[in-house]
Amino acid sequence: MSGNVLVLAEHIGGEVQEATYELLGKAKELAVALGGEVEVAAFGPASLADQLGGADVVVSVDHPALAEYNPEAYEVALLSVLRERGPRLLLLSNATIGLDLGASLSVHWDASLAAYVGALQVDGDAVLATAQVMGGKLHAEVELTGERGICTVLAGAFPASAGTAPAAGSEVVAFATPEGLDNVQTKLRSVIEPEAGDVNITEADLLVSVGRGIESQENLEMVQELADLLGAPLSASRPIIDSGWLPKTRQVGKSGLKVKPKAYLAFGISGAPEHLEGMRDAELIIACNTDESAPIFDVAHLGTTEDLFELIPALADKVKG
Amino acid sequence: MAFTGVLAVEEETREVFMNVGTAGEIIFYVVSTLTIGVFFWGSYRRVKKYRRGRAAFRMANLKKALFANPFQGVRRREDTWSVGAVAANSSVARRDRAAGIAHFFVFWGFITLFIGTVILTIDYDIVRKASKLIVGEEMSFFQGTFYIVYSVILDTMGFTAVLGLAYLAFRRGAIRPKKLDYERAEKPEGGYSRSKIVLGDWVFIGLFAAILATGYFLEAFRIVATGFPSFEVWSPVGWVLGRGFEAVGLSTAAAGTAQIITWWTHAALALTFVGMIPFSKAMHMLLDGVNLLVHDRSSVRHLPAPPPEAEHVGYQELSDFTWKELLDLDACTKCGRCHEVCPARTAGAPLSPRDLILDLRQWADANTGGITLLDHETRPDRTGPLTVDHEAPIAGGVISSRTLWSCTTCMHCVEVCPVGIEHVPTIVQLRRGLVDQGDMDPTLQTALKNLSTQGNSFGKSARMRARWTKGLDFKIKDARKEPVKYLWFVGDFASFDDRLQANSIALARILNAAGVDFGILYEGERNAGNDVRRVGEEGLFEMLADHNIAALESAQFEEIFTTDPHSLNTLRNEYPERGASYKVWHYTELLLDLVESGTIPVRSLGQKVTYHDPCYLGRYNGVTEAPRKLLKALGCELVEMPRNGANSFCCGAGGGRIWMDDSFLEERPSENRIREALGVGVDKFIVSCPKDVTMYSDAVKTTGNEGQMEVRDIVFLVQEALTNKPAEPGDLLERTGV
Amino acid sequence: MRIVVAMKAVPDLVEEIELTPDETDIDREYLKFVLNEWDDQALEEALLVKDATGAEVVAVGLADDPDIDQALYTAIAKGADGAVMLEGGGADTHSRAAAFAEYLAKEPADLVITGVQAPDDLDGQLAPMLAARLGQRHVSVVVGVEAKDGNVVVRQEFSGGRAHVLELPLPAVIGLQASRETPRYAPITRIRQAMQAGGVRGESVSTDVASSGLSVRRMFRPEQTSHAEMLEGDVDDIADKILELLRERGMVKG
Ligand SMILES: Cc1cc2nc3c(=O)[nH]c(=O)nc-3n(C[C@H](O)[C@H](O)[C@H](O)COP(=O)(O)OP(=O)(O)OC[C@H]3O[C@@H](n4cnc5c(N)ncnc54)[C@H](O)[C@@H]3O)c2cc1C
Ligand code: SF4
Ligand code: SF4
């Protein structure tokens, strides 16, 4: 049985994504424990290999059908690679691509699959994954039995830094064009870039949210700047919307939208029940409120009583670097 | 009666067809007959329309209003009116004294003149003709003392009508109250005009005034022409007017000519008026008395079920309406009282109860070939009430869904309507169709989904309902397991809202300390369904109610009290129809009893406060005194807001509005109310409904009045009155731990 | 066009979820089950396609899912043309996929739409697994489906709001993330009518033919915070700490 761990590289327009490095870092650790190597499947321009020095082997498949992500083409290509290279474990991100490919490959490649994985370890011979279930209310520690396994891993579960460190003597293998790639029927018609205009706050991973603590519309600019720097949309409590400072589409809460981002930054929001109703399910809530008894701290994971007028500029400066 | 046989010309009387001549008389009779024909034809069409409606089960009301209780509502607004109240114009005078008195004058003036005309007809066309046939001689009673009494009465009553009409015209033309400009709450995109309606009103007033005026002129000319016979002094208005003509030099002969011209004018006007009645605002004279006699305000407290045989859900066609609802549509006089008080309209929402009624009326007419001469709106794009497409839905088409969803079901419109219109049940019937079509706010949809899965609108687990009791140092009895005297129906907000749990805890402690034997249903309780029903989700209401009824049946208790006035309403008034009749109190009533009986010793707080009557407590269920007496017993000085008691202003949360977006409103009703309270110079706003705490605390913030106005539940005043009592060893405070 | 919406009843997440005594599974005994929220979205999307094209929509669930009949009747109340309850299958996604595949072999669909995920699909998501068993094309994390001349045009979403518009031939399986409109509300009266009319058909399929290959060692509750942990230090320290947390989650570059 091989002890190799294979990672599928995700890229947008040839730029490898953060999530891939997170997986690569973890893959190294697991490969060591399993006595194998880290392989990365790079679909697209051969130049991708340059960004994937963290793997021992880069399996490169360059074909026009793979220029942008395409579920059918990727599945055909990845299945060939898996059959050919026969790794012990395949790591995918638990985002769109992983949600597309993990489960179907589990059938086609006849491998066990653990989804929503937040932690991974090797215990003797066994690969153990800790997965989130019930919307994160429970964690399950599972063993992936059999000779092959697939894990789809949650974003941010592992640090990316470990994946960027170059491996000694990284090798690039040009993979023969898998059969069927010329005959892909799923066609990419267009790519829609996120609009700056009317954002959908329910879909964002990170929200920067403000309440009446911001005091005036002019001060909103400061928060907007931070949000832009973080690439996050601005959301707000109802009074901000009532005042007409932000459109209704940005209102979080009972009479607004229910959001469930990965992180929610609340500045100057007291945490009225109507507001909490709309955001208490966020994975990470960080609240800034000068009143230490504000109810927002009852749902927040982290809090500070720092003045928002101090904290926001400080954050902005640091992101700017 | 001066039934004195042979007609003597010198007798005190007047000639009925003076100077008209036989040909004239014939023409008059022909035209009159035609006019009356038109009148009956028009009236018949109306009645035929009402008969298309479903049964309304209001005959018992009618009987009561006529016979069993003929003075109901004369002095105080009750659920029903009566023939006495109609005669006294009580419903008209109730909210507007001046208009009421003026209307009273016109009302009785018109009736008297009408009766006068009938008497004259009886004398002239029946008695005289019959006597001539039978006895061979014309006999008449229209002479002598009878004639004099008749003249005096008609002359004065007519004159009061003139005065009343003058005031009403002055009000409409010069004072111009905003409610009479007929501006729509919902402005249709393609524009609209109601100038015809305005014109129709003036035609009505004008015709009436002209009939009265020509009547007096005619009288005066006659008196001048007949040389001022001394008995004619008993027609004082005509006499004085005649003297006036004489003074400006009107000759007897000229008066004769003027008399005959005026006679024809008067007759023409009167006949035009009669002919127009079924096709104009004048119809209200006939309909509204009836509508008042069959009115029943309690239909709002316990809403009617959906039409039982209907294939579809919600009103979709004319025959879905009951005849009372159809009568309502035609009864509206456009007085604007409902328009003025409606919290939705006030807040800038696209709903005015008057527009709703008028739109439905016009739609009903447009689709049944109803004829209204002027009393209708015009629109270039023929939308809304002008829709004649039978496929177009009423709810969501003729009446926009935004309009229907704007109603808080506060009942203020029904309360003030002088003609007994019941808007709220109609609105709910229409909403039922919207719910069926899924035409609603996403937030409302979520709330309903939560209610159907968890039995509360918060979407919290049904098992968490009694979690607030964890904040107590004693255990509240589980009424399902041990018998209690009172079952406390806590309600959603007081159970699940983090802020309001403190209210529930305070009340529990007070009751416990006072030794009241009470319990709750724990997770057996569900939302009572009051607002679910008013949203129009009847199936869900039934589900919730049946669940609660099963839980109540499994429990042992004597009486119920609720924290929430909405729950109180449905438990008290709607559960009985589902086979669960209990005595249901509001907690303010219970607390009052405990304080008054001395079970809860309190000290005087000496605070100056104002009190807000929740719609479902005050207006719906008449509980306005208990909280006031309680405040008094607590030594508080109550400063009333202008709108109080049954006239209280809605907070905007009722009828499911709390689950819908209100950000589009210009001014939330709750904000309007807080400003009203600030106006009376108090800084404590006392409420007795959990939702009100939420709504008004929020409004204090959004109006920028933090620190100026404190919103408190009355239970905290009771608690404070206890707390400040000097503690004695082993006394109440130690036991309650407050 | 025949659209099948595959449905699953899952534990209601607002409930307190208990574990079995050996702590390897959730205790289903006293749990309240509701329709998987993504399946509700899938149904809505299918109904939107129906509204646009007149397609036939059939909701399918497994009889062993608690209260699934409720969800199926609700689907009919909302406008589905029929519903099928499969006797057989199993608890994990692998055996569920096998069960649905067996049914679809008998009564094929042009398009299958199902929720992109479920709160308890530890061993993977249904849509791709079902597609693999049927040998069909599939797309997940879809936020809009439109039928177009025998093909289906879908919008697949990526993090950060990027999206691809893909066109693929039928038959296909779609894992739906969000419907174009909020799932419609089914009035209780309509659900009752659907129940009285009894439009749910039974079909039997084989039981537990596929294995997930997972063995659960234990389940546990992550540590709960009832109050925020307060960050210490001056503004700079706090800002650093916050950014670090965001970086760890991959939300800030660098
Ligand atoms: C029916 C209904 C529906 C509602 N729906 C919603 C809804 O959907 N969404 C919603 O948000 N609200 C809703 N509300 C309103 C809700 O009740 C609260 O009023 C609102 O959420 C409060 O907003 P806030 O926290 O921004 O303001 P506040 O409650 O005024 O809080 C401001 C906070 O800022 C803090 N602060 C002030 N200065 C600073 C500073 N310099 N630095 C840091 N902190 C500072 C203060 O300590 C305070 O806690 C609803 C209310 C009702 C009645
Ligand atoms: S019930 Fe209240 S909100 Fe509704 S129409 Fe009447 S006055 Fe307006
Ligand atoms: S409905 Fe009643 S209160 Fe409203 S305008 Fe008509 S008559 Fe007046």
Side-chain angles (χ1 to χ4, degrees):
Chain A
M1 189 162 54
S2 146
N4 289 352
V5 180
L6 188 120
V7 171
L8 172 67
E10 291 187 13
H11 65 92
I12 297 174
E15 192 189 332
V16 174
Q17 299 296 291
E18 189 85 356
T20 302
Y21 295 117
E22 294 173 11
L23 297 184
L24 274 178
K26 191 68 190 178
K28 282 186 191 175
E29 186 193 313
L30 296 171
V32 169
L34 292 166
E37 290 193 316
V38 176
E39 300 176 319
V40 63
F43 298 163
S47 60
L48 282 173
D50 304 343
Q51 299 167 57
L52 296 166
D56 299 309
V57 181
V58 180
V59 184
S60 169
V61 189
D62 190 3
H63 186 276
L66 298 170
E68 293 270 9
Y69 173 69
N70 177 322
E72 188 184 345
Y74 263 55
E75 185 173 303
V76 168
L78 190 54
L79 187 59
S80 309
V81 171
L82 289 171
R83 288 198 171 130
E84 176 86 21
R85 310 287 305 181
R88 168 82 168 84
L89 193 63
L90 166 66
L91 297 187
L92 298 166
S93 69
N94 195 77
T96 305
I97 297 180
L99 290 175
D100 253 347
L101 303 179
S104 61
L105 290 172
S106 164
V107 172
H108 287 306
W109 188 42
D110 191 18
S112 54
L113 165 67
Y116 317 101
V117 170
L120 266 171
Q121 69 188 85
V122 173
D123 178 19
D125 240 6
V127 175
L128 295 186
T130 305
Q132 290 186 7
V133 276
M134 299 298 160
K137 279 191 150 189
L138 288 178
H139 287 184
E141 194 180 274
V142 296
E143 182 185 338
L144 287 103
T145 61
E147 290 175 10
R148 296 175 283 274
I150 305 173
C151 289
T152 59
V153 179
L154 296 167
F158 310 119
S161 49
T164 48
S170 169
E171 170 199 0
V172 180
V173 178
F175 196 81
T177 301
E179 207 182 316
L181 263 195
D182 294 327
N183 196 21
V184 169
Q185 299 288 308
T186 304
K187 304 278 188 248
L188 176 64
R189 292 292 176 225
S190 60
V191 176
I192 298 163
E193 294 296 341
E195 286 165 51
D198 200 28
V199 289
N200 183 350
I201 60 168
T202 60
E203 287 172 1
D205 286 340
L206 173 65
L207 281 176
V208 175
S209 209
V210 274
R212 284 214 307 172
I214 195 70
E215 286 170 12
S216 75
Q217 186 165 19
E218 291 71 56
N219 296 339
L220 213 58
E221 267 174 39
M222 176 183 90
V223 199
Q224 184 70 60
E225 190 200 344
L226 175 66
D228 290 346
L229 286 167
L230 292 171
L234 207 55
S235 59
S237 67
R238 197 183 71 179
I240 305 298
I241 277 72
D242 278 0
S243 316
W245 300 347
L246 281 175
K248 177 82 187 159
T249 47
R250 306 296 182 96
Q251 181 182 328
V252 172
K254 184 191 183 77
S255 50
L257 294 163
K258 202 173 157 82
V259 298
K260 208 179 157 183
K262 295 210 168 67
Y264 187 83
L265 304 185
F267 294 103
I269 295 177
S270 62
E274 290 87 2
H275 188 79
L276 300 186
E277 205 174 311
M279 46 64 76
R280 63 177 348 135
D281 291 337
E283 282 173 33
L284 173 70
I285 299 167
I286 305 177
C288 163
N289 192 313
T290 42
D291 173 9
E292 62 180 328
S293 66
I296 187 85
F297 292 127
D298 295 338
V299 301
H301 304 92
L302 288 166
T304 168
T305 53
E306 203 57 60
D307 190 328
L308 70 88
F309 294 107
E310 307 268 330
L311 184 61
I312 292 180
L315 279 167
D317 286 346
K318 283 182 195 294
V319 182
K320 274 187 257 174
Chain B
M1 209 187 258
F3 206 144
T4 48
V6 189
L7 185 80
V9 187
E10 320 78 54
E11 266 271 20
E12 294 100 337
T13 186
R14 68 173 198 238
E15 203 185 323
V16 177
F17 283 97
M18 179 174 149
N19 296 338
V20 175
T22 319
E25 213 173 310
I26 292 169
I27 293 173
F28 176 79
Y29 274 102
V30 171
V31 177
S32 302
T33 313
L34 285 176
T35 310
I36 291 170
V38 170
F39 170 81
F40 279 108
W41 175 71
S43 305
Y44 166 75
R45 287 179 65 103
R46 294 262 177 178
V47 173
K48 208 171 98 183
K49 178 168 89 182
Y50 310 139
R51 290 182 61 105
R52 288 174 65 165
R54 287 185 293 129
F57 307 103
R58 290 295 171 90
M59 283 310 160
N61 287 76
L62 186 60
K63 265 192 212 146
K64 192 169 134 220
L66 286 176
F67 309 115
N69 213 342
F71 297 106
Q72 171 114 334
V74 173
R75 288 167 163 273
R76 246 186 42 225
R77 172 77 154 105
E78 315 240 354
D79 281 350
T80 51
W81 301 101
S82 63
V83 61
V86 172
N89 278 207
S90 307
S91 62
V92 189
R94 207 164 142 264
R95 299 272 172 186
D96 189 341
R97 202 124 263 250
I101 293 170
H103 188 270
F104 183 83
F105 282 169
V106 178
F107 177 90
W108 279 111
F110 185 88
I111 290 182
T112 314
L113 293 174
F114 177 73
I115 294 174
T117 311
V118 172
I119 291 176
L120 192 56
T121 311
I122 293 173
D123 179 81
Y124 190 83
D125 293 329
I126 301 174
V127 177
R128 292 192 207 189
K129 306 262 149 73
S131 57
K132 192 157 191 191
L133 257 171
I134 301 161
V135 196
E137 266 177 297
E138 253 191 24
M139 294 165 81
S140 163
F141 57 79
F142 193 63
Q143 50 179 287
T145 320
F146 179 85
Y147 175 70
I148 288 171
V149 173
Y150 176 96
S151 297
V152 174
I153 295 178
L154 260 70
D155 232 43
T156 27
M157 290 305 284
F159 192 63
T160 55
V162 171
L163 292 180
L165 207 58
Y167 169 74
L168 292 175
F170 176 74
R171 185 173 85 121
R172 193 171 282 273
I175 306 178
R176 293 170 169 266
K178 188 86 185 79
K179 62 183 172 186
L180 292 183
D181 70 6
Y182 300 154
E183 186 187 353
R184 286 186 65 97
E186 185 196 31
K187 316 275 185 299
E189 263 172 41
Y192 73 102
S193 162
R194 283 186 161 176
S195 52
K196 277 199 178 170
I197 300 187
V198 174
L199 184 63
D201 286 346
W202 282 113
V203 167
F204 176 60
I205 295 184
L207 256 181
F208 206 178
I211 292 169
L212 287 167
T214 50
Y216 281 121
F217 276 51
L218 174 61
E219 189 174 69
F221 290 137
R222 186 189 73 228
I223 294 172
V224 177
T226 51
F228 294 94
S230 62
F231 61 85
E232 291 282 34
V233 77
W234 295 113
S235 296
V237 180
W239 182 271
V240 171
L241 208 56
R243 287 286 182 219
F245 288 137
E246 188 190 39
V248 295
L250 185 75
S251 69
T252 315
T257 317
Q259 184 268 343
I260 186 63
I261 294 171
T262 322
W263 191 95
W264 277 112
T265 318
H266 183 71
L269 288 169
L271 290 176
T272 310
F273 186 77
V274 170
M276 270 177 67
I277 288 178
F279 313 103
S280 69
K281 175 173 183 151
M283 190 64 190
H284 89 270
M285 303 187 307
L286 301 180
L287 292 184
D288 290 5
V290 180
N291 208 46
L292 281 166
L293 294 180
V294 297
H295 169 72
D296 189 352
R297 183 178 61 173
S298 71
S299 68
V300 187
R301 276 202 301 271
H302 48 85
L303 288 175
E309 322 76 31
E311 303 263 297
H312 45 258
V313 180
Y315 281 11
Q316 283 179 16
E317 49 204 45
L318 204 69
S319 56
D320 291 334
F321 291 76
T322 70
W323 60 259
K324 166 68 170 89
E325 286 161 343
L326 293 175
L327 191 59
D328 272 351
L329 305 184
D330 284 357
C332 176
T333 60
K334 312 181 293 282
C335 73
R337 294 179 184 197
C338 58
H339 179 82
E340 196 170 41
V341 297
C342 175
R345 206 277 310 156
T346 315
L351 162 69
S352 151
R354 174 176 65 192
D355 292 349
L356 177 100
I357 295 295
L358 294 181
D359 287 354
L360 286 173
R361 171 203 289 187
Q362 195 166 337
W363 164 80
D365 278 343
N367 287 279
T368 53
I371 303 165
T372 45
L373 292 174
L374 286 167
D375 214 9
H376 54 256
E377 181 178 312
T378 48
R379 288 192 189 187
D381 60 4
R382 308 197 66 77
T383 54
L386 283 81
T387 317
V388 275
D389 176 5
H390 288 275
E391 295 299 304
I394 313 176
V398 179
I399 309 292
S400 80
S401 48
R402 286 181 61 231
T403 297
L404 292 169
W405 286 128
S406 295
C407 178
T408 70
T409 66
C410 74
M411 194 183 168
H412 217 157
C413 47
V414 180
E415 180 67 23
V416 299
C417 179
V419 305
I421 293 171
E422 297 151 31
H423 318 67
V424 181
T426 305
I427 292 176
V428 174
Q429 292 282 24
L430 289 168
R431 280 181 169 187
R432 285 174 178 153
L434 294 181
V435 169
D436 187 59
Q437 297 304 311
D439 188 352
M440 58 177 120
D441 252 29
T443 47
L444 172 60
Q445 207 164 306
T446 312
L448 292 178
K449 224 181 233 174
N450 289 337
L451 282 158
S452 65
T453 52
Q454 297 292 355
N456 67 74
S457 62
F458 289 77
K460 295 199 179 162
S461 164
R463 269 177 270 183
M464 298 295 158
R465 183 172 282 272
R467 208 172 60 162
W468 64 271
T469 59
K470 296 240 171 12
L472 293 168
D473 49 10
F474 60 92
K475 179 148 168 46
I476 299 182
K477 284 184 186 169
D478 186 339
R480 296 168 303 172
K481 297 190 181 131
E482 50 187 319
V484 291
K485 177 157 170 30
Y486 292 107
L487 179 96
W488 179 7
F489 199 95
V490 188
D492 277 15
F493 273 77
S495 300
F496 287 108
D497 190 298
D498 298 336
R499 261 169 320 195
L500 300 173
Q501 292 178 352
N503 298 24
S504 309
I505 289 177
L507 183 58
R509 283 185 179 159
I510 292 169
L511 297 179
N512 186 54
V516 175
D517 181 25
F518 71 102
I520 59 176
L521 289 174
Y522 282 85
E523 67 278 7
E525 186 185 306
R526 291 283 180 280
N527 181 298
N530 188 70
D531 299 85
V532 170
R533 189 162 207 217
R534 275 144 189 88
V535 156
E537 180 30 323
E538 187 71 4
L540 183 54
F541 164 72
E542 288 169 5
M543 195 170 107
L544 292 167
D546 292 347
H547 181 103
N548 280 324
I549 290 170
L552 289 170
E553 275 168 3
S554 76
Q556 289 181 58
F557 61 90
E558 289 164 32
E559 290 172 349
I560 298 179
F561 73 90
T562 73
T563 356
D564 170 29
H566 298 243
S567 308
L568 174 130
N569 182 66
T570 193
L571 282 167
R572 200 188 253 187
N573 305 307
E574 295 182 321
Y575 279 32
E577 283 155 22
R578 310 191 70 75
S581 292
Y582 300 105
K583 186 108 198 106
V584 187
W585 301 103
H586 187 241
Y587 71 106
T588 52
E589 295 174 290
L590 188 65
L591 285 174
L592 176 66
D593 188 49
L594 295 171
V595 169
E596 278 190 337
S597 65
T599 317
I600 306 181
V602 288
R603 47 159 226 129
S604 173
L605 292 174
Q607 294 174 1
K608 203 166 134 187
V609 303
T610 192
Y611 171 74
H612 165 76
D613 292 272
C615 303
Y616 277 88
L617 193 63
R619 194 155 36 239
Y620 270 77
N621 288 289
V623 183
T624 52
E625 278 314 303
R628 284 181 172 73
K629 284 190 186 151
L630 183 57
L631 285 171
K632 204 162 164 219
L634 298 174
C636 291
E637 183 199 334
L638 173 62
V639 187
E640 292 282 10
M641 288 180 273
R643 295 174 289 188
N644 61 61
N647 194 31
S648 174
F649 191 64
C650 176
C651 76
R657 285 285 331 157
I658 197 154
W659 301 315
M660 297 175 230
D661 177 31
D662 64 358
S663 57
F664 64 91
L665 298 178
E666 285 155 24
E667 183 194 34
R668 293 193 178 92
S670 53
E671 295 168 349
N672 181 303
R673 185 66 161 165
I674 288 295
R675 295 195 173 103
E676 181 180 3
L678 284 162
V680 301
V682 293
D683 59 3
K684 289 193 177 57
F685 189 92
I686 306 304
V687 297
S688 58
C689 164
K691 280 193 194 108
D692 279 339
V693 180
T694 323
M695 297 300 288
Y696 289 119
S697 313
D698 186 57
V700 166
K701 277 194 196 172
T702 50
T703 52
N705 286 301
E706 268 165 305
Q708 319 271 13
M709 183 65 78
E710 187 191 358
V711 178
R712 291 188 89 187
D713 191 296
I714 201 164
V715 76
F716 287 117
L717 290 183
V718 177
Q719 190 187 44
E720 196 180 329
L722 291 171
T723 319
N724 290 352
K725 205 171 130 273
E728 289 157 30
D731 92 339
L732 196 87
L733 294 175
E734 284 193 358
R735 273 185 285 132
T736 55
V738 275
Chain C
M1 183 160 72
R2 183 167 191 265
I3 306 178
V4 160
V5 180
M7 290 192 168
K8 181 179 193 183
V10 298
D12 192 344
L13 292 183
V14 308
E15 300 287 349
E16 202 60 48
I17 293 174
E18 302 290 336
L19 295 174
T20 50
D22 67 354
E23 301 199 334
T24 60
D25 201 356
I26 51 177
D27 188 348
R28 283 158 213 269
E29 177 133 11
Y30 300 107
L31 263 186
K32 194 168 141 32
F33 280 74
V34 292
L35 177 66
N36 174 24
E37 58 174 299
W38 287 280
D39 291 348
D40 199 20
Q41 306 269 347
L43 173 66
E44 179 61 31
E45 194 65 29
L47 292 172
L48 290 174
V49 175
K50 174 182 169 169
D51 292 345
T53 65
E56 180 197 7
V57 173
V58 181
V60 184
L62 296 193
D64 284 343
D65 283 6
D67 292 334
I68 190 69
D69 49 341
Q70 187 75 30
L72 295 175
Y73 284 119
T74 305
I76 295 177
K78 286 182 178 186
D81 301 283
V84 179
M85 198 150 74
L86 305 180
E87 305 274 351
D92 59 41
T93 316
H94 283 76
S95 33
R96 297 179 73 86
F100 281 114
E102 193 178 328
Y103 162 72
L104 286 163
K106 270 187 272 181
E107 296 179 7
D110 301 292
L111 184 62
V112 176
I113 310 183
T114 187
V116 66
Q117 60 187 47
D120 58 352
D121 53 6
L122 183 57
D123 66 323
Q125 300 76 23
L126 181 69
M129 222 175 267
L130 178 57
R133 290 207 160 260
L134 294 168
Q136 294 178 358
R137 294 181 183 80
H138 62 94
V139 187
S140 278
V141 200
V142 164
V143 292
V145 179
E146 262 161 289
K148 195 179 147 195
D149 334 312
N151 285 354
V152 62
V153 178
V154 300
R155 192 172 161 134
Q156 181 177 44
E157 233 190 19
F158 297 87
S159 47
R162 257 172 70 89
H164 284 177
V165 176
L166 300 169
E167 182 165 348
L168 57 158
L170 296 173
V173 184
I174 303 299
L176 203 88
Q177 163 76 18
S179 47
R180 281 167 287 163
E181 280 170 34
T182 327
R184 58 197 76 184
Y185 177 76
I188 302 294
T189 321
R190 285 204 177 200
I191 300 177
R192 282 207 201 118
Q193 279 165 359
M195 283 179 164
Q196 273 153 19
V200 176
R201 194 154 53 82
E203 279 287 337
S204 67
V205 289
S206 344
T207 307
D208 282 326
V209 290
S211 144
S212 78
L214 286 188
S215 115
V216 179
R217 291 207 173 169
R218 66 181 181 117
M219 276 199 185
F220 57 97
R221 230 173 276 283
E223 268 173 49
Q224 289 274 323
T225 47
S226 64
H227 193 273
E229 176 197 327
M230 296 310 269
L231 297 168
E232 303 290 334
D234 65 9
V235 179
D236 267 342
D237 301 338
I238 292 173
D240 279 335
K241 181 82 183 111
I242 293 176
L243 287 178
E244 192 189 319
L245 278 164
L246 296 182
R247 282 202 184 96
E248 273 175 22
R249 287 165 185 258
M251 266 169 297
V252 192
K253 286 271 147 66

